[in-house]
Every structure is written in structure tokens, then in C-alpha cells.
Amino acid sequence: MALLQGFEEINMSVPTGKAVMTVTDSVVRFNKATAADLGYPAYVKILINDKTRQIALQACNAKSSNAVKFSKPEGKQSTSVNIKEAAVLEALHKYFELPQAPEGEVAYKSVSGTVHAEEKVIVFNIDAAISGTMKKRGRKKNA
């Protein structure tokens, strides 16, 4: 097979995009690519390394200690994954100081993750987070 020496096959798996975590005052949101990169796990563990200032998301099962409900099965997860658990929000807010947002907007911090597919883990570097504001989602309140 000297004729094909040096050639590489084209990877036919669809690229999922970048795994992104967004933290606001009321929710931690992971984009759909994050769920896809982890294999759409029903539960994850959220781990924090205080020394390296990193957050890891690890796929697990429902019986794992500190498991957090995460994704629907592949094909059913049509949007981002929102986690509103008070314990998770409290732990992450220690690392993500949110700026004041103008009226009608929400402040956030967003960070891309590094995927470790073999271990079913995604690592987010806290210090790489960017700040911003976005319009509030949901129904408008009557004035």
C-alpha cells in the first residue's frame, strides 16, 4: 500500500462545535455541543479545581454521588442544557463575578471548554471567561 502512504481518511463524524458554559445569576447554561461532546449523558458531575481555577463536567449515571440531571437522549436534546440547582449556582458564583447589567438585560460570563472525549470530560478554564450582557429571555412583564 505504498501508493496511499501519507494519506489520512476523512473523519465522517459531524463536528459538534465548541462546548460553551454560560453563567448568569439564575442559571448555568451549557450549549448543545457540550451535551453532544459528552454523548448526551442523563447525568453529570460538576467538579471544581480551586488551585488551577478550572471547572470540569464529567458524564456519570444517576447513582453517582452528587449527580446533576443534564441531557435528554441524542435526537431529543434540541436546545441548550440549563442547570438551576442552588448548590451548583452558589459554588460557581464564587468564581464568576457578574457585572451590573442595564435594565432589561442579564449579565453573564461565558467560557469555552476543552473536550476529553475518551474520559467523557470537558474542562473549562475560569480565567478564560468573557463577560457580557444579553436581553432577558422569556415573557415580557406588563408595565
Side-chain angles (χ1 to χ4, degrees), residues 2-60:
L3 176 65
L4 296 179
Q5 187 173 351
F7 285 85
E8 292 182 26
E9 291 181 14
I10 295 174
N11 186 350
M12 298 304 288
S13 63
V14 179
T16 56
K18 277 197 172 285
V20 177
M21 173 177 67
T22 304
V23 179
T24 70
D25 59 345
S26 61
V27 67
V28 179
R29 181 174 291 121
F30 296 95
N31 66 346
K32 188 178 172 186
T34 304
D37 287 337
L38 290 174
Y40 297 95
Y43 292 88
V44 295
K45 284 186 180 188
I46 301 172
L47 305 110
I48 298 173
N49 185 329
D50 193 50
K51 287 183 179 156
T52 62
R53 295 182 50 80
Q54 293 177 312
I55 294 167
L57 200 61
Q58 179 183 36
C60 66

Side-chain angles (χ1 to χ4, degrees), residues 60-135:
C60 66
N61 61 40
K63 293 182 180 179
S64 298
S65 63
N66 300 310
V68 177
K69 192 154 180 50
F70 192 68
S71 177
K72 296 175 185 168
E74 184 175 2
K76 304 264 189 206
Q77 186 67 44
S78 59
T79 61
S80 58
V81 176
N82 296 318
I83 297 177
K84 297 181 180 182
E85 303 278 336
V88 172
L89 288 169
E90 185 178 325
L92 293 182
H93 283 155
K94 292 177 187 173
Y95 297 94
F96 294 98
E97 191 173 316
L98 299 171
Q100 278 296 113
E103 183 71 30
E105 295 189 4
V106 176
Y108 69 86
K109 291 271 188 157
S110 183
V111 62
S112 295
T114 304
V115 179
H116 302 276
E118 309 79 43
E119 293 89 7
K120 292 200 180 250
V121 171
I122 299 177
V123 177
F124 300 92
N125 287 315
I126 295 166
D127 295 330
I130 57 168
S131 296
T133 60
M134 61 184 155
K135 297 281 184 207

